[in-house]
Amino acid sequence: MEQQQEIQQQQLEQLRIDQELEQFRIVREMEQETRPSKNGWIVVLVFAIITACLFFAFSAKAQTLTFADRNIERRALINGDTDNDGHISKAEADSIKSLNLTQYRTDMFVVSTYEDLALFPNLEKVWLGESKLDTVDLSKNWKLNYVNIQSDNLKTLILAVGCTPKLGYPMHSGEILVKRIKNPDAPGAMFFPY
C-alpha cells in the first residue's frame, strides 16, 4: 500500500511538472506572437519613411501657387524660381521684390489680369505692360515704391492707403486716376481711418 501511495505521489508530481511546463510553453508562445520579428520592424520603418516622404512632397506641392495669368507666372519664374522646379512656391513669391511685365521684341504678350500681383506681398517695383484692363488693383502690394505703366488702356490704379510709389508713364498717354483703399495687412493701416 505504501508503494501504491508512493507511485501515486510520483504520478501527481509528474503531472504537476507537466502542467507547469505546459503553462511555461503557452506563455512563451504568446510572448513570441506579440513580439514583432526583425522583419516586422523593417516593414514598420519602411512604412514610416514612405509616409514621411509623401507628407513632405504633399506639403511642398500644397505651397505651390496657382496663377490666373500665364504671362505673370512666366515672369515670376524668371525672377523667383530659386529651386528651378518650374513652380513658384509661397516662399519664392514672398522673396520677389520686382517684376517686369513689359514686352520685349522677342517676348510679345498681353496680360489678361493683374490679380496675381496679390501673390507677391513684398513687391517693391512693378512694370505694368500691355493689357486691355482699365483698372489695376495693387492694394495688396503696400510695399511698392515704383510703378511703371505702359498700357494706354489703364485709367485707374488702386493702391493701399499709405502706399505712395513713384509712378512712371514712359509709353502711356492720358490721365490715370489713383484710388486708395485700406489694406489691413499694411503697417500703419490703423492710423488711416478712411
Side-chain angles (χ1 to χ4, degrees), residues 7-73:
I7 291 174
Q8 281 181 343
Q9 215 170 10
Q10 285 177 355
Q11 288 175 344
L12 286 174
E13 184 65 25
Q14 185 63 41
L15 184 61
R16 188 185 62 75
I17 291 172
D18 288 345
Q19 285 177 344
E20 284 181 8
L21 286 173
E22 183 64 20
Q23 286 178 346
F24 179 73
R25 186 187 62 77
I26 291 171
V27 168
R28 191 176 59 203
E29 282 180 9
M30 288 177 61
E31 285 177 355
Q32 286 178 351
E33 287 177 7
T34 59
R35 189 180 329 144
S37 67
K38 289 180 183 178
N39 290 341
W41 282 111
I42 292 171
V43 169
V44 168
L45 182 62
V46 168
F47 180 75
I49 290 170
I50 290 171
T51 303
C53 290
L54 289 174
F55 173 76
F56 288 119
F58 178 74
S59 64
K61 187 67 175 169
Q63 292 183 358
T64 299
L65 301 178
T66 304
F67 288 82
D69 188 283
R70 177 70 183 128
N71 294 312
I72 292 178
E73 181 180 21

Side-chain angles (χ1 to χ4, degrees), residues 69-118:
D69 188 283
R70 177 70 183 128
N71 294 312
I72 292 178
E73 181 180 21
R74 283 189 313 123
R75 293 303 179 145
L77 286 169
I78 292 169
N79 288 9
D81 187 16
T82 56
D83 59 5
N84 295 318
D85 67 349
H87 301 285
I88 296 292
S89 68
K90 175 73 174 115
E92 290 171 330
D94 288 349
S95 70
I96 293 177
K97 298 208 184 289
S98 68
L99 199 57
N100 190 341
L101 303 173
T102 58
Q103 299 182 25
Y104 299 102
R105 292 181 189 165
T106 59
D107 191 11
M108 303 296 281
F109 63 90
V110 174
V111 175
S112 62
T113 178
Y114 283 106
E115 70 183 62
D116 292 332
L117 293 180

